[in-house]
Amino acid sequence: MSPLKIKKGATSHSAYNLRSSYGDEVERHTLAVIVANEPGVLARVIGLFSGRGYNIESLTVAEVDHEGHRSRITIVTSGKPQIITQIKSQLSRIVPVHQVHDLTVEGPTVERELALLKVAGSGDHRIEAIRLADIFRANVVDSTLESFVFEITGTPEKIDAFADLMRPLGLQEVARTGVAALARGSEAKTS
Amino acid sequence: MSKTMTGAKMVVQALVDQGVEVVFGYPGGAVLPIYDEIFQQNHIQHILVRHEQGAVHAAEGYARSTGKPGVALVTSGPGATNAVTGLTDALMDSIPIIVLTGQVPTFMIGSDAFQEADTVGITRPCTKHNWLVKETDRLAATMHEAFHVATSGRPGPVLIDIPKDVQFATGKYTEARQVETHYAPQVKGDLDAITELAKAMETAKRPIFYTGGGVINSGPAASQLLRELVAETNFPITSTLMGLGCYPASGENWLGMLGMHGLYEANMAMHDCDLMINIGARFDDRITGLVDKFSPGSKKAHIDIDASSINKVIRVDIPILGDVAHVLEDLLKVWKSRGRKTNKEGLSKWWDQINEWKQVDCLKFKQEGKTIKPQHAVARLEALTKSHDRYICTEVGQHQMWAAQYLGFEDPNRWMTSGGLGTMGYGFPASVGVQLAHRDALVINVAGEASWLMNMQELGTAVQYNLPVKQFILNNERLGMVRQWQELLHGERYSQSWSEALPDFVKLAEAFGAKGIMVSDPDDLDDAIMEMINHDGPVLFDCLIEKHENCFPMIPSGKPHNEMLLGENADTTNAIQAGGAVMV
Ligand SMILES: Cc1cc2nc3c(=O)[nH]c(=O)nc-3n(C[C@H](O)[C@H](O)[C@H](O)COP(=O)(O)OP(=O)(O)OC[C@H]3O[C@@H](n4cnc5c(N)ncnc54)[C@H](O)[C@@H]3O)c2cc1C
Ligand SMILES: Cc1ncc(C[n+]2csc(CCOP(=O)(O)OP(=O)(O)O)c2C)c(N)n1
């Protein structure tokens, strides 16, 4: 067999600790998975979660480096610590996966999600909806005489809270993007 | 200066550049251009199997017995779907193989074209990685990368799906050295962890090496280092089904195989040890039994190249991520530099205890009367063949366990069996692959009649290429392993677990142009085995055995290691309780 050129410093394993502490509590973790942007890579990641019975609370994916053909998948998952460790190990052995970062353990992060909400109604309900939107810093991106489409950005919890308030005011439809997350501070965790 | 050629030619060129000598395959419309190229060259031998499943298992046998990757070539649609069992088998047992599939032309993909199947979709969960190549310019690079991925880190099967227009079109050939890859699993273990293990070895009173298929995967150097480590420390050593041969069966510290049908002394030692050193094994459920009661008092170290094997089933105290050979080399260095210390007093008591367990003689059996006991048949096979340059394959079932128990393996890569998936029908095609790699060796497939029938068509292959594979069939006219479970678990209701209308195996052999031998009298057994060995050609050896023999020892599912069932006198009533019954 003739060998290939292996890029210096390359490895598909990121350096996380294999000595997981074995608590029994279910934990919620946000993972940033940097993958080669090639056909089928998302199917591999999703197939891993369904095939092995792991939870996905949220999953977002988009190309983040066009020249380098890199996409970033942000996954919010939950499980006992042993399962979280398994998920990370399993993800990192998928061949087109370059890096797996557990943002939850690597330090403070910012997490944001965007949602669009269609609220229909008139009279007091309509006025109340626009007042609450203002408090939540949601923008009106479409409007008719009987409806609004609000755009809101924030943590998933903030969006949940806003949607709960809109429900009695005539909430018709919600579209959410899922979570995007980055570590705080000046340093880039992923490259 | 890069060469230009058709995609079909690139496939052959890349195989040649990767040092491939044999391809197992079966043609069809979507791979005709590649077959045309195969026709026009002499570097690579193509072996025409009789079923694509056979091609993949043959590639597995070739790979396991040589340490080199095996290659299979099949057509689109049914050719590809027939390869799925073999791919899954290779994934479970970490066998490096490259499967090339034809695909309908790119412009027809998605149109339910003739013999179209979503091959990369179907095989995504049963390959280490797979590729659909849509441009001829990418084909050579993908081929080279596929070999790299299949053989690096934890080995496994890969698949390349090649549409027919990509095979016909012309493109630039990329040499292997021009291909850049980021896939490079860590092979060196962490020195701090290795030192921690060395320290634990210095004080352990009841240590044990629990070795597995990872030692074989790591190459012959790993087995060599392991032997040195065992000789230096005088620790006892056991192995999984997949690791047999990494330490010689004749070695002084050998306890035999462990696990569900492993030896009493090996399982008891695993249960009672205070330091368990797992080297390239994956805490499979055949080993751990009831996880909560698995070796409760021991400190556990685990050397494995795949992070996902570590802490998956059993929590370990000293995880070491790396390749067995690399880690053992460092471990030996560290341990020697620290003065080669062991707890001699503790060890000597430990060996006393182990020798006491050995007295149980858990593999004893009595060959009496006019019916051949399967254990006896395998023991005679061992006696009459062990001095040969010998390779053993098996099918799946009781005979597989008897082979593991009663045959001795002195070297790695001499034992080919389907462990993780337990694929009936694996052994015969695997033996074809092994014999192709080792033309002058004695290649024997220990089989059950039911398993053997699953891929019996490969007798045509064996005859066509004059491969003198010996099919040693332990014929109990039963799906023996299933029957045993029904006896222990389902109130002796033998639902569908016997085969009626079995063929006359001697006539069957003759119909294919092979030799058949039937034996039923224990007194004729040795002569019959000698006749089998001495025949220069494929032999179908039909050994009629005791129909209701059970395979012992056995740890019933859901039980811990120290509650084994031993031999025929074991009380098997209610051996398996409800909790265990749900487990397979
Ligand atoms: C009917 C039946 C009964 C069975 N009964 C038993 C039984 O009684 N006892 C038994 O042992 N088995 C038994 N098996 C087999 C069992 O199902 C498993 O296949 C087997 O135990 C797994 O072996 P292993 O742990 O060595 O792992 P393998 O499947 O060989 O895995 C190898 C491990 O090593 C790692 N590895 C690979 N390459 C390297 C490297 N270069 N360096 C470091 N690590 C590496 C891998 O990541 C993996 O974790 C039975 C199977 C059947 C079909
Ligand atoms: C493809 C496949 N189907 C079903 C099984 C389930 N199974 C395991 S062992 C066995 C019986 C095997 O019978 P035989 O080959 O005659 O071997 P014996 O156990 O009698 O030695 C069966 C059906 C399997 N392992 N593989």
Side-chain angles (χ1 to χ4, degrees), chain A residues 35-98:
Chain A
V35 301
N37 186 11
E38 60 179 45
V41 63
L42 188 59
R44 286 178 211 284
V45 170
I46 292 174
L48 170 70
F49 277 76
S50 66
R52 294 188 185 263
Y54 305 142
N55 295 324
I56 300 182
E57 288 185 9
S58 157
L59 185 145
T60 64
V61 55
E63 189 176 65
V64 289
D65 172 4
H66 184 67
E67 247 144 61
H69 300 289
R70 293 284 182 280
S71 290
R72 182 181 180 111
I73 305 179
T74 308
I75 305 173
V76 181
T77 182
S78 59
K80 293 179 181 172
Q82 186 202 5
I83 296 294
I84 300 286
T85 308
Q86 262 296 299
I87 291 174
K88 291 186 278 183
S89 313
Q90 292 287 356
L91 281 170
S92 72
R93 72 185 193 143
I94 296 177
V95 173
V97 167
H98 287 250

Side-chain angles (χ1 to χ4, degrees), chain B residues 396-399 422-424 448-451 454 476 478-482:
Chain B
V396 169
Q398 292 179 314
H399 62 275
T423 311
M424 291 170 71
E449 79 293 340
S451 294
M454 283 213 177
N476 52 11
R478 300 287 180 280
L479 311 185
M481 187 58 96
V482 171

